[in-house]
Amino acid sequence: MADHKAQGSGLVNMVDSVIAVITNDGRHIVGVLRGYDQATNLVLEDSHERVYSTKSGVDVVALGLYVIRGDNVAMVGEIDEETDASLDLQSIRAAPLKPIMHG
Amino acid sequence: MAEPEPMEEATVREPLDLIRLSLDERIYVKLRGEREIRGRLHAYDQHLNMILGDVEETMTTVEIDDETYEEIIKTQKRTIPFLFVRGDGVILISPPLRS
Amino acid sequence: MLFYSYFKTLVGKEVTVELKNDLAITGVLHSVDQYLNIKLTSTRVVDEAKYPHMMSVRNCFIRGSVVRYVHLPPGSVDVEILHDATRREAKGG
């Protein structure tokens, strides 16, 4: 554990920051990271899902307070809020991310 | 590796011993998701995590023709100088053919 | 522990991590832990036209279990050291 902390390989630097979570089923959830544990279970506050489509802009769905089970977390990204605010979500066209294929 | 013992080195007692004998040899690896890899084995562990060099990866995709419903099999190849492969995707490893 | 130790030697180098959802992310390896969870800084998605999802992300944590490949920088792979470490690990069980 000491090694773990010293290296900062956990999510400690991201606590209280706005983060993007990619789940194993390909969803993209954005919110403020309030807590996490060794298993990558996450607590997200003021979260929303960004639903991507090739036909229309990004749909933002409010979710509120979420606990995401670590097994379903593929990636956690620290969001640069300035860059994020400058994104025009309505103009983005993209297929949803694929699920993590273990098979 | 203080004292290399040739006898012990060559003994095959368990499956992973065959992989040990393939170190620094070109091997074939079949992976999940219709992927195959050929490359030189530089490192592995008990999970079959590996590092391979001079890698050629072949990906096979099957598409269905909209009109004829025929299966169109496409392969894509790429080369990667050094690649870490996570062991949980490995289906099988084939050591080099020995004459 | 072999790969955990090896990845620690790559800290500060640029790698490309390919996930099992086909997303590939290039970045500077910041840290790795015993599960081979990976943290990257200065990240960019390899095919940003196809994957605009991560445009505002600069640093990320990738769960080890979703990694398919890590493309390694050729200059930092000493194959002799890897061979020796692998043989040692194979003996140790």
Side-chain angles (χ1 to χ4, degrees):
Chain A
M1 280 308 289
D3 185 42
H4 187 77
K5 265 202 168 152
Q7 254 207 77
S9 63
L11 299 169
V12 62
N13 321 342
M14 295 195 198
V15 170
D16 297 333
S17 308
V18 179
I19 60 161
V21 179
I22 303 291
T23 58
N24 287 7
D25 62 357
R27 292 198 292 160
H28 181 186
I29 298 170
V30 175
V32 181
L33 181 67
R34 291 301 185 196
Y36 71 95
D37 65 17
Q38 187 70 328
T40 334
N41 295 316
L42 306 174
V43 177
L44 287 189
E45 195 176 33
D46 294 329
S47 60
H48 65 267
E49 180 174 350
R50 294 186 182 175
V51 184
Y52 290 81
S53 160
T54 50
K55 302 213 167 60
S56 57
V58 179
D59 198 10
V60 175
V61 181
L63 302 174
L65 184 66
Y66 253 40
V67 179
I68 305 177
R69 188 174 152 84
D71 288 345
N72 292 303
V73 173
M75 206 205 81
V76 181
E78 192 175 359
I79 282 185
D80 181 280
E81 289 185 64
E82 210 173 300
T83 313
D84 200 59
S86 72
L87 292 181
D88 178 12
L89 292 176
Q90 282 316 305
S91 70
I92 295 174
R93 298 286 182 279
L97 288 164
K98 279 185 257 181
I100 295 287
M101 296 294 280
H102 289 288
Chain B
M1 283 308 290
E3 65 256 70
E5 296 166 53
M7 287 300 285
E8 191 190 324
E9 285 271 301
T11 319
V12 177
R13 293 181 195 279
E14 51 168 305
L16 262 61
D17 289 345
L18 266 174
I19 298 169
R20 190 187 69 226
L21 296 175
S22 306
L23 259 188
D24 208 20
E25 307 264 9
R26 282 192 79 77
I27 59 168
Y28 163 83
V29 184
K30 185 174 165 67
L31 296 164
R32 294 184 180 194
E34 301 298 316
R35 289 164 195 267
E36 298 166 284
I37 276 178
R38 285 176 178 78
R40 188 172 292 277
L41 180 65
H42 291 306
Y44 72 89
D45 67 10
Q46 69 274 28
H47 306 293
L48 296 186
N49 294 320
M50 290 179 272
I51 290 175
L52 298 166
D54 294 323
V55 176
E56 185 190 68
E57 187 209 38
T58 309
M59 260 183 73
T60 308
T61 50
V62 180
E63 287 170 31
I64 310 283
D65 189 293
D66 288 342
E67 282 161 21
T68 64
Y69 297 105
E70 269 181 294
E71 286 190 352
I72 307 160
I73 297 168
K74 286 185 178 161
T75 61
Q76 273 175 282
K77 278 185 203 274
R78 58 175 173 164
T79 59
I80 302 139
F82 279 104
L83 190 66
F84 166 81
V85 179
R86 194 170 160 98
D88 58 6
V90 173
I91 295 172
L92 67 86
I93 297 173
S94 178
L97 292 173
R98 290 167 207 284
S99 48
Chain C
M1 294 307 264
L2 196 165
F3 290 100
Y4 171 47
S5 305
Y6 173 69
F7 276 115
K8 280 200 284 189
T9 70
L10 294 185
V11 166
K13 304 248 169 52
E14 187 168 88
V15 297
T16 298
V17 181
E18 208 175 305
L19 276 52
K20 287 173 183 157
N21 60 5
D22 295 345
L23 185 67
I25 304 167
T26 300
V28 176
L29 184 65
H30 171 274
S31 55
V32 63
D33 67 17
Q34 58 186 324
Y35 306 107
L36 305 186
N37 296 326
I38 287 172
K39 269 185 93 172
L40 299 178
T41 55
S42 310
T43 53
R44 59 178 190 277
V45 167
V46 174
D47 186 351
E48 197 167 86
K50 191 173 171 188
Y51 300 107
H53 316 68
M54 295 287 104
M55 276 193 297
S56 52
V57 169
R58 292 290 164 267
N59 309 306
C60 73
F61 167 94
I62 299 166
R63 212 159 186 273
S65 59
V66 306
V67 171
R68 176 187 291 135
Y69 301 138
V70 182
H71 300 239
L72 307 169
S76 58
V77 182
D78 185 323
V79 298
E80 294 306 326
I81 290 176
L82 285 177
H83 296 169
D84 289 349
T86 299
R87 290 201 181 94
R88 264 202 306 278
E89 182 125 325
K91 272 194 181 175

